[in-house]
Each structure stands twice: as C-alpha cells, then as structure tokens.
C-alpha cells in the first residue's frame, strides 16, 4: 500500500487545513473543509481518521464518489475504506461534516478533525480544481449546521446543503469556509471565544491561520451578527468597525461583501456604519424570510436553497462591479 502526503502542496486539501509536519498528519477545526482526490488503477483507499471528541458525540465526514450525492460517514477508532473499480478513474470528494452536535471545543483543540493517514493501491493524486476561491466568514448558518430538523446528533449538520456551498457551486468557485457555530463579532455572542477577529487570523488558540498568497480569491463574503443580539448597539458598532479594519488587513485588495444577519439583528447599526464605508460592500436584509429548521435561527435545506437563490444575483453583481 502507498501513502498519500498529508500536505497542502499535494493539491488535495481545500479550505482551513493545518499541517502537523512533525507527525505527518493534517487537521482542521472547520466544518466544510474539503479533500479532493483523483484515482487511477486504484481499488481501495483507506483513511486513518479517528474521532476526536470528548463526549458521546461522534464526528462525521461527507463522501462523494464521481459526482454522486454526498453520504455521511461517522468517525471512530476504525479506519474508513472506500472500494473502487480499478478499471476506471475516480474523483473522490470529502467534506468535514460535524465535530459535535453543539458547542464543539475546537478553539482549544480539545475537539477537532485529525487525519492521520491515507493509504491506497494504484495511483492517487490531489485534484483541487484550479479555479478561484470564494471565502465565507460566519457562523453555524454558513456551515449548514442543524439543517435536518428531526436529527439531534451530528448528522443534523449538512455543509453540502448550505447556501454558501450552493452559491459557490453555482458560480463555479472553490468554497473556502472560515466559520464557527455560535460565534459572532462581539464578546457577547452565544459562544465566545473566539470572535470573528480571532478566527480570521487563527485556526485555534495560538495556532495561526496560514496565508496562501498564491491562492486566487474571487471575493470574501461575511455573514455575522446573528449571535450577537445580547450586545448593546454601541458595543456592536465598535466591534463591527474593528472587524472591517481587520478584514482589509487580512484580504487587502480582494472584494469584501458583508451580508446583514438573516434574523435582522442590528440592521440599523450595519447601515449606519456602512454609510461612510468605501471599500467594503453591504447587502441589506430586504425582509428575508427563509425557512428555518428549528425554533431559532438555523435554516432548513429549503431555507438554504432560498437564501442561495436570493443572494446569488446580489453577490454576483458586487463581485462583477
């Protein structure tokens, strides 16, 4: 059996992955991070991908073979084996689905995705498409968390059904997510730490988020504020202005688009702050009413489709401007 290199240079890892060069492993704290592989004369691929959670929750990944729908695979102490027809080439696409159902302790690296090894026969190549990436910065909604209303475990999260993913596919861009459920712009968010300023620069506490200057970005889409409703208007305004400054530092000349929260939180503050903003665009919430999956803020699969349909022309217009 051959061993595939768990490195960014392998061209297999898309999104927020961090190499552990000492152990020849790779890890991520983000839902929606992807792996793209192309096989040739390969009959099996084996993943050593243990579950890294503290409680009873079991993390999950999504797997798609040759463009078929993604199916969910639970992580455990057992390896994951994908059997293939060696007489044909195959495209294998994997997406991190869920760490835990709620409140994953990923910021302190107590719970995260850790890929230890990929073994295979035949030939296996990295296959991330050579196209621009669209970066999405946000919370559980961008991640597609709690999409399935009748599921109360990690299977409820479906990043492949999120509006961010659907929109990226429609525009033919790679999808790069930097999002953490429950987080926001202020320290009053449902989950803190981190704040958005923390996680645009870091993948976890004291773990810098690498900057790939060779990567071509189509734009940066920000949807935050849903979880900040307990903050005061003054605190939110201050934090929003600080975030805009940090986004400019992080992404330089890349087009940045901020989308108001789907629940309408702080819309007056957004519009007041953006009156004097020349370099970052704002998409206002025009009384959106996307279908939800629970009694809170999470969108159903239909709601994500509605959001993608509504936002597609608005985002495309600003990207093309």
């Amino acid at each position: 059996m051959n061993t595939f290199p768990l490195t960014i240079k392998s061209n297999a890892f898309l999104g927020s992955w961090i190499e552990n060069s000492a152990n020849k492993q790779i890890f991520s704290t983000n839902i929606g991070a992807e792996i793209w592989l192309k096989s040739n004369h390969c009959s099996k691929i084996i993943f050593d991908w243990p579950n890294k959670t503290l409680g009873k929750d079991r993390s999950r990944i999504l797997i798609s073979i040759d463009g078929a729908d993604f199916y969910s695979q639970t992580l455990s102490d057992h390896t994951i084996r994908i059997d293939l027809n060696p007489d044909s080439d195959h495209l294998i696409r994997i997406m991190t689905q869920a760490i835990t159902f709620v409140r994953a302790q990923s910021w302190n690296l107590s719970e995260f995705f850790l890929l230890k090894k990929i073994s295979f026969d035949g030939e296996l190549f990295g296959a991330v498409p050579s196209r621009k990436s669209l970066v999405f910065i946000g919370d559980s909604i961008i991640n597609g968390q709690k999409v399935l209303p009748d599921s109360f475990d990690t299977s409820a999260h479906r990043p492949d059904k999120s509006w961010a993913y659907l929109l990226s596919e429609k525009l033919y861009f790679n999808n790069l997510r930097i999002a953490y459920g429950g987080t926001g712009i202020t320290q009053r968010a449902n989950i803190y730490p981190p704040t958005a300023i923390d996680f645009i620069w870091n993948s976890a506490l004291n773990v810098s988020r690498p900057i790939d200057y060779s990567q071509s970005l189509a734009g940066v889409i920000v949807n935050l504020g849903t979880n900040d409703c307990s903050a005061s208007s003054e605190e939110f305004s201050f934090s929003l202005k600080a975030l805009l400054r940090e986004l400019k530092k992080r992404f330089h000349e890349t087009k940045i688009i901020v989308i108001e929260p789907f629940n309408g939180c702080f819309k007056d503050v957004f519009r007041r702050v953006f009156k004097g903003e020349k370099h970052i665009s704002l998409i206002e919430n025009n009384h959106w009413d996307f279908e939800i999956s629970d009694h809170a803020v999470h969108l159903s699969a239909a709601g994500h489709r509605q959001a993608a349909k509504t936002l597609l022309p608005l985002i495309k217009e600003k990207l093309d401007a």
Side-chain angles (χ1 to χ4, degrees), residues 34-37 61-73 82 84 90-95 158 160 165:
E34 296 186 49
I35 304 173
W36 291 68
L37 298 167
I61 59 174
L62 296 164
I63 301 172
S64 170
I65 310 295
D66 295 329
D69 290 342
F70 283 96
Y71 66 88
S72 182
Q73 171 70 54
I82 298 176
L84 302 167
H90 300 281
L91 176 66
I92 300 93
R93 192 173 178 185
I94 295 172
M95 185 183 298
R158 291 302 299 246
D160 59 319
Y165 174 78

Side-chain angles (χ1 to χ4, degrees), residues 18 33 59 132 149 166 208 230 249:
I18 306 293
S59 298
K132 291 184 177 181
L166 298 175
S208 297
S230 63
K249 292 179 191 176

Side-chain angles (χ1 to χ4, degrees), residues 138-141 180-191 223-231 236 261 263 265-266 297-298:
D139 50 35
S140 59
I141 299 175
Y180 294 89
T183 62
I185 295 173
T186 73
Q187 296 181 10
R188 304 281 185 183
N190 296 340
I191 293 181
N223 182 224
L224 283 161
T226 297
N227 298 308
D228 290 292
C229 287
S230 63
F236 189 82
N263 65 351
C265 195
F266 291 115
V297 296
H298 299 98

Side-chain angles (χ1 to χ4, degrees), residues 23-297:
N23 296 322
K24 296 183 179 180
Q25 300 172 351
I26 198 164
F27 70 91
S28 181
T29 59
N30 283 108
I31 293 174
E34 296 186 49
I35 304 173
W36 291 68
L37 298 167
K38 189 70 178 287
S39 71
N40 178 253
H41 298 297
C42 184
S43 66
K44 58 180 175 290
I45 307 173
I46 299 173
F47 297 85
D48 183 358
W49 199 332
N51 181 66
K52 295 288 289 184
T53 59
L54 298 174
K56 295 181 179 179
D57 272 340
R58 290 294 175 262
S59 298
R60 291 173 180 260
I61 59 174
L62 296 164
I63 301 172
S64 170
I65 310 295
D66 295 329
D69 290 342
F70 283 96
Y71 66 88
S72 182
Q73 171 70 54
T74 305
L75 301 183
S76 69
D77 292 334
H78 301 290
T79 58
I80 298 168
R81 173 169 168 160
I82 298 176
D83 292 312
L84 302 167
N85 179 359
D87 296 328
S88 302
D89 294 347
H90 300 281
L91 176 66
I92 300 93
R93 192 173 178 185
I94 295 172
M95 185 183 298
T96 56
Q97 179 183 359
I99 300 175
T100 61
F101 180 55
V102 293
R103 293 183 178 270
Q105 296 186 44
S106 55
W107 191 244
N108 62 7
L109 288 181
S110 295
E111 300 175 309
F112 59 101
F113 295 106
L114 175 65
L115 178 56
K116 289 187 172 182
K117 189 176 182 180
I118 300 177
S119 305
F120 63 96
D121 59 4
E123 295 181 306
L124 195 63
F125 308 95
V128 172
S130 56
R131 57 190 183 184
K132 291 184 177 181
S133 293
L134 199 55
V135 178
F136 289 86
I137 298 173
D139 50 35
S140 59
I141 299 175
I142 274 179
N143 279 339
Q145 292 177 248
K146 297 186 178 179
V147 166
L148 305 182
D150 298 323
S151 298
F152 300 97
D153 58 19
T154 49
S155 65
H157 306 332
R158 291 302 299 246
D160 59 319
K161 298 184 183 297
S162 73
W163 70 267
Y165 174 78
L166 298 175
L167 196 145
S168 297
E169 291 289 289
K170 196 71 175 179
L171 292 173
Y172 197 65
F173 292 137
N174 288 332
N175 178 267
L176 200 165
R177 271 176 267 209
I178 305 174
Y180 294 89
T183 62
I185 295 173
T186 73
Q187 296 181 10
R188 304 281 185 183
N190 296 340
I191 293 181
Y192 165 77
T195 65
I197 290 179
D198 294 325
F199 63 70
I200 65 173
W201 291 106
N202 297 281
S203 293
L205 185 65
N206 299 321
V207 180
S208 297
R209 189 178 296 279
I211 300 176
D212 183 358
Y213 290 105
S214 67
Q215 190 173 46
S216 181
L217 300 182
V220 177
I221 314 298
V222 182
N223 182 224
L224 283 161
T226 297
N227 298 308
D228 290 292
C229 287
S230 63
S232 67
S233 294
E234 292 75 16
E235 183 179 5
F236 189 82
S237 177
F238 177 86
S239 298
L240 177 58
K241 291 175 183 177
L243 175 61
L244 298 183
R245 289 194 296 269
E246 293 300 310
L247 288 169
K248 293 170 189 175
K249 292 179 191 176
R250 184 69 164 93
F251 296 103
H252 303 289
E253 302 302 318
T254 304
K255 289 184 178 178
I256 302 172
I257 303 166
V258 173
I259 301 171
E260 290 181 354
F262 295 167
N263 65 351
C265 195
F266 291 115
K267 66 179 181 180
D268 293 337
V269 176
F270 275 98
R271 294 171 196 187
R272 186 166 61 250
V273 168
F274 271 85
K275 276 186 177 179
E277 177 56 54
K278 297 179 180 179
H279 303 290
I280 300 180
S281 303
L282 177 69
I283 292 178
E284 297 181 358
N285 181 339
N286 188 22
H287 306 292
W288 298 328
D289 186 23
F290 306 136
E291 183 179 288
I292 60 173
S293 61
D294 53 15
H295 297 294
V297 296

